[in-house]
Amino acid sequence: MADVVLKNVSKSYGDRVQAVKSVDLEVRDKEFVVLVGPSGCGKSTTLRMVAGLEEISEGEIYIDKQIVNDIPAKNRDIAMVFQNYALYPHMSVYENLAFGLKLRRYPKKEIDRRVREAAEILGLCKGDMLSRKPKELSGGERQRVAVGRAIVRKPKVFLFDEPLSNLDAKLRVQMRMELQKLHNRLQCTMIYVTHDQVEALTLGDRIVVMRDGLIQQVADPVNLYESPSNKFVAGFIGSPPMNFLKGTILSENGSYFFYDRGIKLRLLPQHHSKISAYRNKSVVFGIRPEDIYDKIFAQDARPEFTITATVDMVEPMGSEIYIYLNAGNNSFVARVSNQDTATVNQDLQMVFDMSKAHFFDPESEEAIF
Ligand code: ADP
């Protein structure tokens, strides 16, 4: 198994498209790293450069300490699983699994051993499964065969390009868990590309958030969620997304307040040093929907953390309710328990957990804290 290092890696297509811009990334041995970001941000291109399917315009890529820029894909000892499975339709499951090894002239016995081992890991041994053709399989089973083809190779690194996108929601959740188990069992380096932030949070040991070809932040799931480094990451990770309220920082009698029409919230003392430079200046206040409470259910409902807001919409989600509210010029959503009984146009006292507050510079969009 191996680590993968990208040093200052860029990729241009012609003069106009710079798909990946100076990416530095270290994927450790046995780590599960997820590249996530909106469509077109350069995730696939990055992965394909690691795979050797795309030339590197600038920079270096190392696999297991060896520079691979000029090593063709087939000699990089990696295996890639694609979104569209890329199975051979005329071959049985067994033959599909065996194909890559046959090509590399493995002995028949070894091929059979590896195919059966992979099939067993992935639950593909049942009944006549191994002799079926891809068209006789469900979407989930096809995806398992695609993963199996990677496993039999016992590669140094597994690469996954949106492997679950073609599956329905329920199957996606199931396959997600299977991939997690697979990673635990195989103890190998995996790099996984997805546009789905939930998939990223549940699968990744560490997550790389990309935007416009640039890495925005690399962090483990908890840190990414709790301490996003900028407004883009804060808004991309989490559902419903973090609320962003526009306003000004006021300082009164040794306290700092976030202020806008209809909103005045006191900041906590531990945030004073970082916010003091923004006194009388505009800021963006970020707060996650689960950190806003209806006053009647709040534990700490002090008036300096409470505002009055009007209910715009109520969305029941089973165990929870999303309440969409307006206060002055700002709108936000609160994610509360289904015990709450908000109704449209009602005025509610909403309490903000200011220990969970985030502030962003309105120009640079970098986190102030
Ligand atoms: P993602 O995987 O994040 O959706 P991609 O890595 O596929 O994004 O693409 C990044 C950018 O590079 C996009 O703007 C895309 O249009 C462009 N791009 C990708 N492949 C090519 C190509 N072969 N020729 C020109 N532009 C490309």
Side-chain angles (χ1 to χ4, degrees), residues 14-58:
D15 298 336
R16 308 227 338 252
V17 183
Q18 211 186 346
V20 177
K21 301 170 188 163
S22 305
V23 159
D24 281 308
L25 179 66
E26 242 183 282
V27 179
R28 298 170 196 134
D29 185 28
K30 302 189 177 61
E31 198 176 23
F32 198 135
V33 164
V34 180
L35 308 184
V36 70
S39 180
C41 72
K43 314 176 290 287
S44 283
T45 304
T46 305
L47 197 74
R48 291 170 62 82
M49 283 192 284
V50 174
L53 301 174
E54 207 75 74
E55 249 181 64
I56 303 162
S57 306
E58 251 178 85

Side-chain angles (χ1 to χ4, degrees), residues 4 8 72 90 126 241 291 315:
V4 177
N8 205 18
H90 58 286
K126 291 177 214 125
D291 299 324
E315 205 170 44

Side-chain angles (χ1 to χ4, degrees), residues 302-319:
R302 277 181 278 170
E304 62 265 40
F305 305 131
T306 307
I307 66 169
T308 306
T310 310
V311 178
D312 191 28
M313 197 175 78
V314 180
E315 205 170 44
M317 299 296 293
S319 66

Side-chain angles (χ1 to χ4, degrees), residues 115-164:
V115 166
R116 289 187 189 283
E117 185 187 46
E120 187 265 319
I121 290 173
L122 294 164
L124 289 170
C125 305
K126 291 177 214 125
D128 63 346
M129 193 73 90
L130 283 175
S131 57
R132 284 198 215 162
K133 299 271 167 62
K135 68 171 188 297
E136 297 165 311
L137 303 176
S138 70
E141 288 160 352
R142 276 179 219 166
Q143 190 49 274
R144 268 187 216 126
V145 179
V147 173
R149 271 204 321 204
I151 293 179
V152 293
R153 300 255 319 276
K154 298 187 190 284
K156 277 185 182 159
V157 181
F158 285 85
L159 306 177
F160 295 94
D161 194 356
E162 304 251 9
L164 309 184

Side-chain angles (χ1 to χ4, degrees), residues 253-269:
N253 307 324
S255 291
Y256 286 93
F257 294 86
F258 171 75
Y259 174 80
D260 197 63
R261 187 161 66 84
I263 300 174
K264 190 173 179 188
L265 294 162
R266 184 165 68 77
L267 273 71
L268 299 182

